[in-house]
Amino acid sequence: MSDALFTAITILWIAQLLYIIVSPRPYMIYTQAILVLVSLTLRYTALYYPAITILAFALSPINFRQKTLGVILTFLLLGIFIEFTRIKMESVSGVRSFSSSNGWKKANNALYMYANLADTDTSEVPDQFKLIHNIVTSYFKGPHEKVDLFNYQSEPSYGCFYMFSSESPLIRYDSVRINVPGDLHNLPTSPRCNFYLIHTVII
């Protein structure tokens, strides 16, 4: 886990901003932008850091030109990183997205909840969602592995069972979407996961 490293970089970044406000040096315009970039590569929580950076530059005694340079440099580096990530994700998933796995994780979490509702759910489903709804209900109403989040020994995937299990309705849905033939209970694992589709369906 990168929590400790992310925390350390964040502390350095905060200290840098305090120096920019109280006792700025020219090089700090560049170092704070680099610290924000490094933080973002570790945790997407850093996406809100540029807003705090703008506030720090607004309070700094440096001239307007330096302030503008600092803000532009921060957003420029982040923009390059985000676009690079989106391009790489497109080469893997077929969809240009910055945080594609976020939708996949939300879909996974939704299935943990829906497992307790599948037997009694009679709600109407929009036409565009009927395919995945049928796959999900078929999975939970048929024989399937029982997953208990409260029992660590029975859930070794740390809450990500439906993201990686070959029997997951999400994997099966993706297989159907890319036209892999087979019974819904015996579909092979898709060669790639279309995160965007899952994100759209669940959210």
Side-chain angles (χ1 to χ4, degrees):
M1 299 295 289
S2 58
D3 294 16
L5 181 57
F6 175 74
T7 301
I9 296 296
T10 296
I11 291 174
L12 287 174
W13 171 70
I14 292 173
Q16 186 86 113
L17 292 187
L18 292 176
Y19 269 105
I20 289 174
I21 294 172
V22 178
S23 181
R25 298 289 185 274
Y27 70 85
M28 294 179 181
I29 293 175
Y30 305 96
T31 54
Q32 71 80 28
I34 293 173
L35 288 172
V36 172
L37 175 62
V38 173
S39 298
L40 185 64
T41 62
L42 296 173
R43 283 286 185 275
Y44 288 169
T45 307
L47 277 171
Y48 67 84
Y49 284 13
I52 302 175
T53 298
I54 292 174
L55 178 61
F57 277 118
L59 298 174
S60 176
I62 61 178
N63 61 56
F64 180 76
R65 181 178 179 181
Q66 290 176 311
K67 292 180 180 181
T68 303
L69 175 60
V71 171
I72 290 176
L73 184 61
T74 300
F75 280 92
L76 178 63
L77 291 181
L78 293 185
I80 292 173
F81 171 72
I82 290 173
E83 187 58 24
F84 173 79
T85 303
R86 293 178 72 240
I87 292 172
K88 287 296 183 180
M89 286 305 304
E90 183 179 28
S91 67
V92 173
S93 68
V95 177
R96 184 170 294 196
S97 176
F98 176 58
S99 184
S100 299
S101 59
N102 182 48
W104 194 249
K105 176 61 175 173
K106 287 178 180 178
N108 169 83
N109 295 346
L111 289 181
Y112 278 110
M113 175 196 68
Y114 194 74
N116 301 300
L117 306 174
D119 290 335
T120 58
D121 181 28
T122 58
S123 58
E124 291 293 326
V125 179
D127 290 340
Q128 65 267 36
F129 302 148
K130 283 185 177 179
L131 174 59
I132 190 166
H133 180 71
N134 290 338
I135 292 174
V136 168
T137 54
S138 175
Y139 171 79
F140 284 119
K141 290 182 179 180
H144 63 279
E145 184 172 347
K146 305 295 183 181
V147 183
D148 182 9
L149 286 176
F150 295 100
N151 187 339
Y152 175 79
Q153 297 299 325
S154 67
E155 173 46 327
S157 66
Y158 299 98
C160 298
F161 176 81
Y162 299 107
M163 294 174 67
F164 303 113
S165 171
S166 60
E167 69 177 68
S168 167
L170 302 182
I171 302 296
R172 296 176 181 181
Y173 171 70
D174 187 56
S175 298
V176 171
R177 293 293 299 209
I178 62 171
N179 298 318
V180 176
D183 184 276
L184 289 183
H185 287 288
N186 297 286
L187 284 173
T189 303
S190 168
R192 65 179 181 85
C193 298
N194 195 323
F195 301 119
Y196 176 79
L197 290 171
I198 302 302
H199 181 81
T200 302
V201 168
I202 298 300
I203 298 177

